[in-house]
Amino acid sequence: MILVTGGAGFIGSNFVLDWLAQNNEPVINLDKLTYAGNLNNLLAVQNDPRHLFVKGDINDGALLAQLLAQHKPRAIVHFAAESHVDRSIHGPAEFISTNINGTFSLLEAVRAHWQALPEAERAAFRFLHVSTDEVYGTLGPDDAPFTETTPYAPNSPYSATKAASDHLVRSYHHTYGLPTLTTNCSNNYGSYHFPEKLIPLIIANARAGKSLPIYGDGQQVRDWLYVSDHCTAIRRVLESGRTGETYNIGGWNEKANLDVVHTLCDILDELQPKATGGSYREQISYVADRPGHDRRYAIDARKIERELGWKPAETFDTGIRKTVQWYLDNDAWVRDVQSGAYLTWLEKNYTARAEQNTEA
Ligand code: NAD
Ligand code: DAU
């Protein structure tokens, strides 16, 4: 079996559902269930004997040791993290705790377990660390996309903590020989995406008749990858990636934020026209920029294509349409995550921004 951390979050839950749909190998799913973790994402496998959910913290070394000794997973896929840049600006402490200390605690537990394995199992073992393109910093409009050798230059507390975790993983391979793999992926979108991130937030706000907040001038560029494509890439790296290596994963879909928001409005205009008439575009509102906002990310994903034969199956046009349709079909899921804690976050992040916008 494999052990997944953070498998109740956006990408982790998509990965667990995909994994169990593709093969019969069981999954232990360790997740702390922070605001971002949601067991409703896993309803389809809640009674599946191949899925064992454990509520727990990756900082809990005793729990990790017990899970590893009891279940003897052949691989770890490490998703658990604090993942939202804006939250890292409001409060970096949780990011240090989970992304750095938590990854360290996981590496220590896994090292102890791995070192005691018989030789053949030690050789076959894998630790796959799921990371982000944000560790590379920001690009100018004409710069070449990030490759696996681009120097790290993280600019937010989130990306700095992910960079630190990448370095720890690298050092455990280099120093102890732990068979690690690291993936650095661009912006994911798709089902079960928590509606504080751009795409699901815009869909939710548009449908609720609220304003659609664009940070700064909306010309910041992200590369977008449909989440199922990310899951396929991770499976491919786990199967055939070379240990000690890193693989960049991207969708070859660079888009300015404003264009993404326009696309979402246009699809909603078509699939669920406003009862009052007019376009959802009329709800767009420019608000104060994110401090330290990275201008552009772009991924050169040729290494994973060349070495492992992976490339994305979805274009942005196909993936974004599926995503909007998923949100239209899953109102109950959206309503459920829009709890009191979610409303508190919206107030914390957007009230000050709106005030700054009025003064501008
Ligand atoms: P998410 O915030 O949706 O989910 C994170 C999950 O980790 C949640 O289920 C949460 O409960 C769990 N978690 C948090 N702290 C924990 C702890 N201390 N112990 C155990 N579980 C804990 O995140 P996501 O968007 O699914 O991202 C998953 C991973 O992929 C992260 O490592 C992130 O850095 C990386 N990544 C995300 C994207 C993206 O676009 N979302 C892109 C590239 C890489
Ligand atoms: O690049 C990979 C990263 O993508 C992951 O490592 C992160 O975990 C993930 O959250 C995502 O980070 P971003 O900061 O790029 O995603 P977010 O959805 O928060 O923002 C996308 C862009 O949209 C970014 O330029 C900020 C902008 N934005 C975001 C929000 C929430 C707005 O203009 N308005 C908003 O209200």
Side-chain angles (χ1 to χ4, degrees), residues 83 132-134 158 187 198 213 215 222 257 290 293 350:
S83 70
T132 171
D133 60 358
E134 300 203 10
Y158 163 68
N187 285 59
L198 180 71
Y215 294 170
R222 297 290 180 268
N257 292 337
R290 173 185 278 175
H293 201 171
Y350 294 100

Side-chain angles (χ1 to χ4, degrees), residues 69-334:
Q70 188 181 347
H71 299 288
K72 299 187 174 40
R74 69 166 178 95
I76 314 292
V77 184
H78 177 34
F79 293 97
E82 287 294 332
S83 70
H84 191 185
V85 174
D86 293 320
R87 282 186 189 257
S88 83
I89 295 166
H90 285 279
E94 278 301 310
F95 289 71
I96 307 284
S97 170
T98 287
N99 300 1
I100 303 181
N101 294 336
T103 301
F104 169 61
S105 131
L106 182 64
L107 282 165
E108 274 296 88
V110 170
R111 177 168 75 94
H113 168 75
W114 170 77
Q115 282 176 333
L117 289 175
E119 200 179 322
E121 287 173 43
R122 228 177 28 241
F125 191 86
R126 294 289 181 270
F127 183 102
L128 192 154
H129 176 58
V130 179
S131 193
T132 171
D133 60 358
E134 300 203 10
V135 297
Y136 299 121
T138 188
L139 293 169
D142 300 321
D143 290 341
F146 303 130
T147 69
E148 288 78 0
T149 56
T150 300
Y152 274 32
N155 289 320
S156 72
Y158 163 68
S159 54
T161 59
K162 289 299 288 186
S165 67
D166 293 9
H167 291 326
L168 281 170
V169 171
R170 178 189 158 90
S171 77
Y172 272 61
H173 175 74
H174 195 75
T175 305
Y176 305 111
L178 188 71
T180 62
L181 299 155
T182 296
T183 55
N184 293 90
C185 187
S186 58
N187 285 59
N188 285 216
Y189 66 99
S191 51
Y192 304 116
H193 203 181
F194 194 81
E196 65 180 14
K197 304 283 178 76
L198 180 71
I199 287 180
L201 178 96
I202 294 298
I203 298 171
N205 280 15
R207 298 182 67 207
K210 295 184 184 167
S211 65
L212 311 180
I214 307 280
Y215 294 170
D217 62 3
Q219 293 307 314
Q220 305 82 5
V221 170
R222 297 290 180 268
D223 169 63
W224 293 96
L225 180 70
Y226 192 59
V227 64
S228 308
D229 278 326
H230 190 189
C231 295
T232 312
I234 291 172
R235 282 205 308 278
R236 192 70 57 82
V237 173
L238 188 61
E239 268 163 34
S240 314
R242 288 184 292 129
T243 58
E245 291 289 315
T246 68
Y247 293 90
N248 281 357
I249 303 173
W252 304 103
N253 282 312
E254 281 186 57
K255 304 274 174 204
N257 292 337
L258 189 60
D259 293 338
V260 170
V261 174
H262 282 157
T263 301
L264 291 169
C265 291
D266 296 349
I267 296 174
L268 281 169
D269 285 340
E270 179 193 329
L271 297 182
Q272 192 180 76
K274 282 172 82 144
T276 50
S279 169
Y280 290 98
R281 287 189 185 212
E282 290 152 22
Q283 291 166 228
I284 287 173
S285 145
Y286 290 87
V287 300
D289 209 348
R290 173 185 278 175
H293 201 171
D294 286 335
R295 197 69 184 161
R296 173 175 168 241
Y297 304 141
I299 280 273
D300 181 335
R302 282 179 297 177
K303 177 177 173 184
I304 187 172
E305 181 172 355
R306 189 175 62 246
E307 291 192 11
L308 307 179
W310 175 88
K311 54 181 183 187
E314 301 287 343
T315 63
F316 188 71
D317 288 348
T318 59
I320 200 68
R321 195 163 267 278
K322 284 186 187 177
T323 303
V324 174
Q325 191 62 57
W326 188 89
Y327 280 91
L328 293 178
D329 294 342
N330 287 276
D331 263 338
W333 182 90
V334 177

